Amino acid sequence: MTLDTPRRVVALVPAAGRGVRLGEATPKAFVPVGGSPMLVRAIDGLIASGVVDRIVIMAPIELLDDARKLLAARAHAASSIPVDVVPGGAERTDSVRAGLAAASDATHILVHDAARALTPPALIARVVAELAAGHRAVVPGLPVADTIKSVSADGAVTGTPERAALRAIQTPQGFDAELLRTAYAAELSATDDAGLVEACGATVRVIAGDALAFKITGPLDLRLAEALLSGADHTSGQVGGQQEKRTAVPR
Ligand code: C5P
């Protein structure tokens, strides 16, 4: 991509996880929260951010049609933003790799977990604003409340990193598309996409995350999401009393 290439932001949404820790029969992204599947809420947030040009969802292969029907039945059908559904893979990195293959038109890529269903659109816009400002890898992160320790397989503490320097990393994670492709081509392993980019020697910028971008992983997270949505004012875009604001991103 040259400096003259117009920015085209494609959001990849990994939604192919089984969600074993949630304890539901349905794959996690299809579990409803506040009456809508997590996947639908995540897509709604990406569209509402106003900074995404196209969305690619990676769904379990047996649920491709269900995913397409869900999206067609929602407001996305009325949105001008194309939403495609492709099969995910066995691991999250396999799913993201499948999404990358379907996003050759992207100059910038957001990778955003369907399980972070309540992510405020303003956070998504802030990540893209940082990409637009020239940063090649941008992730939201929150200070950690607990003390974190590394522990050996037999349960002995091997270290206590200084808490003030730690951040719990969320999605959307934003990347220059070429950088993310290079990172995935290296076939390394990491627990998030930024980890792959770091392993290639690139600098990853952390911006302030948002508590509402928490990942719905276990039953307690699901209850929290339900409680937040039951108190939400859907007409004003407020969830849990936090007002949504759009961030202007220069095109
Ligand atoms: O399992 P975990 O909570 O880490 O999953 C994070 C996100 O990655 C979820 O939205 C899940 O659907 C997705 N995922 C995927 N393909 C997998 C495993 C997880 O798309 N094989």
Side-chain angles (χ1 to χ4, degrees):
M1 302 284 167
T2 70
L3 281 176
D4 300 332
T5 309
R7 189 169 63 248
R8 183 161 173 81
V9 179
V10 178
L12 307 183
V13 182
R18 300 282 136 199
V20 174
R21 289 168 292 180
L22 198 57
E24 302 275 332
T26 319
K28 182 161 76 174
F30 294 78
V31 171
V33 53
S36 296
M38 290 184 209
L39 173 61
V40 168
R41 290 199 173 273
I43 302 303
D44 283 346
L46 286 164
I47 291 174
S49 74
V51 294
V52 171
D53 298 300
R54 187 180 157 223
I55 297 171
V56 178
I57 295 163
M58 293 79 82
I61 192 148
E62 72 280 11
L63 291 179
L64 292 181
D65 282 346
D66 297 66
R68 288 181 185 124
K69 277 183 205 145
L70 266 181
L71 298 168
R74 293 277 304 190
H76 318 116
S79 153
S80 59
I81 296 173
V83 183
D84 298 307
V85 185
V86 301
E91 303 291 335
R92 186 181 178 282
T93 44
D94 300 321
S95 295
V96 175
R97 191 171 276 113
L100 270 176
S104 55
D105 53 331
T107 61
H108 295 84
I109 289 182
L110 296 181
V111 185
H112 184 42
D113 292 332
R116 297 184 190 269
L118 272 58
T119 301
L123 177 63
I124 299 164
R126 286 212 309 278
V127 170
V128 172
E130 294 290 323
L131 292 173
H135 299 287
R136 300 188 76 207
V138 180
V139 300
L142 289 178
V144 295
D146 293 318
T147 294
I148 307 288
K149 294 190 187 290
S150 55
V151 183
S152 69
D154 60 359
V157 170
T158 55
T160 307
E162 198 202 331
R163 190 172 63 187
L166 297 176
R167 296 290 179 274
I169 299 302
Q170 306 176 316
T171 75
Q173 299 193 349
F175 305 96
D176 171 274
E178 263 178 40
L179 177 62
L180 191 62
R181 284 183 206 293
T182 305
Y184 266 82
E187 301 270 351
L188 299 168
S189 101
T191 52
D192 73 345
D193 304 290
L196 296 175
V197 165
E198 289 154 46
C200 292
T203 300
V204 176
R205 179 176 172 78
V206 179
I207 63 165
D210 192 306
L212 288 172
F214 68 99
K215 187 168 69 171
I216 300 173
T217 304
L220 190 61
D221 303 314
L222 194 55
R223 288 182 67 178
L224 174 62
E226 293 284 3
L228 286 166
L229 287 166
S230 72
D233 174 350
H234 297 285
T235 54
S236 70
Q238 284 185 320
V239 176
Q242 294 200 18
Q243 179 72 49
E244 271 309 323
K245 284 198 192 76
R246 284 202 185 177
T247 305
V249 181
R251 303 292 308 183

